[in-house]
Structure formats: structure tokens, C-alpha cells
Amino acid sequence: MALKKMKGQRRQHAPGDVFVLQLDDESYRFGRIIKMGETTREARFPGGILAYIYDVPSADQTPDLTQLTPDRLLMPPFFTMGWAWSKGYFRTVTHAELTADDLLKQHCFYDAYYKDYVDENDCRIPERADPCGVFALSNFEYFQQQVDSALAGNPVVGSQRAEN
């Protein structure tokens, strides 16, 4: 299933921003910005955006924020840049301050450089925690493949769909 382009958006992003992506069947899925990249030495992606995409289908762009929980992730957390908004693949629709209940207990990414698991700050963690993403900036093709795979019935390990 392909993503449809919407009208592009140029804006300042912030943790807690809720955005939509539209699928070619005209349905929407929601995402949320979790963290903005920092310019500290431990940040490998200055300006990068850590985001979640949820498996919460909708016929319109109005999210039910109570359903945007970590157990409803469509795919593992991922890193992106502002291009997804400026090109129209994502569109911010609201903002809701993040709480501890909105976040995974442990972010986990496989880092090909270290051949090990790291958290969102590029710090090694003792073991894999699901859902586990890839520690890299997501390009559009890879992102599209992850969305397609999840929607085709390959749910994220650790999500509500995977556990049922």
C-alpha cells in the first residue's frame, strides 16, 4: 500500500506533535514526534526526529489521542528529518504534551556500526528490547517498506497485534 502525498508543511517540529500519513486507500494512520535530535556529541543525527507510527486507522485526520499508545505501534520507532513534512508525506494535525505513558519503557535500535543495540541517544544497552528499530535516518523507500510490511500482516514485535 503506497503513501499518498498531501500538501507539504514547513514548520518547527516539537516533541508531542501528532501527525498523519495517508494511505492510497484514503485511510490515515497517526504518528507522534517523540524527540528532536540534539547537537551534543552523543547525537549522531543533529536535527533528526525520533517518531512513532501507530496502528490506529482512521477515515479522517482527527486523532483519538487515547489510542496513541506504545502498545499500538505499527512499526518500530524510527528517525527521520523534516523532509517528510515538507514533501507532504506527513502532516501535523495537533499537539499533545508527552507523558511517561506515551513512551516505550526502553527505546532500542540495532546499530550496524557497533553491531550492537543502542538507545535513542546512541548509548549501548545491555540487550535487545522490542520493538527494535534501526539506528539510522529513515529514507522514504525503507520507511515505505516498513509500513507496507506491517499493513500486510507482519506486525511489530511488542505491539498489541503481535501479541494477540
Side-chain angles (χ1 to χ4, degrees):
M1 191 166 295
L3 294 179
K4 289 185 73 171
K5 281 180 126 181
M6 299 172 281
K7 184 178 178 191
Q9 244 180 351
R10 293 189 188 276
R11 57 176 288 132
Q12 290 290 99
H13 304 290
D17 283 355
V18 176
F19 58 91
V20 294
L21 54 145
Q22 186 176 25
L23 304 176
D24 61 5
D25 68 357
E26 303 300 322
S27 69
Y28 295 94
R29 294 297 190 282
F30 298 99
R32 180 178 278 163
I33 293 177
I34 301 303
K35 182 178 180 182
M36 299 299 297
E38 299 170 10
T39 55
T40 60
R41 73 170 183 78
E42 63 269 356
R44 220 185 300 171
F45 312 128
I49 299 168
L50 173 62
Y52 294 173
I53 299 289
Y54 302 93
D55 188 20
V56 178
S58 179
D60 62 47
Q61 296 185 23
T62 307
D64 176 353
L65 297 175
T66 64
Q67 291 190 30
L68 304 185
T69 58
D71 64 337
R72 298 288 306 267
L73 294 180
L74 179 66
M75 55 189 264
F78 66 100
F79 293 96
T80 191
M81 298 292 280
W83 66 264
W85 284 265
S86 63
K87 297 289 185 189
Y89 292 108
F90 298 163
R91 185 158 191 75
T92 300
V93 293
T94 194
H95 179 88
E97 292 299 319
L98 293 170
T99 68
D101 291 339
D102 297 322
L103 306 174
L104 290 166
K105 291 188 184 350
Q106 173 71 64
H107 287 116
C108 177
F109 302 91
Y110 180 73
D111 187 322
Y113 178 79
Y114 291 133
K115 296 183 176 34
D116 207 351
Y117 298 102
V118 297
D119 66 11
E120 69 277 16
N121 297 312
D122 199 14
C123 297
R124 290 184 189 190
I125 57 176
E127 61 187 7
R128 177 187 169 107
D130 288 319
C132 188
V134 175
F135 196 76
L137 284 173
S138 216
N139 67 38
F140 181 72
E141 287 182 28
Y142 181 70
F143 177 78
Q144 178 72 53
Q145 288 172 353
Q146 284 194 300
V147 170
D148 287 347
S149 177
L151 291 172
N154 302 309
V156 171
V157 174
S159 73
Q160 192 172 349
R161 283 178 50 206
E163 293 165 4
N164 291 337

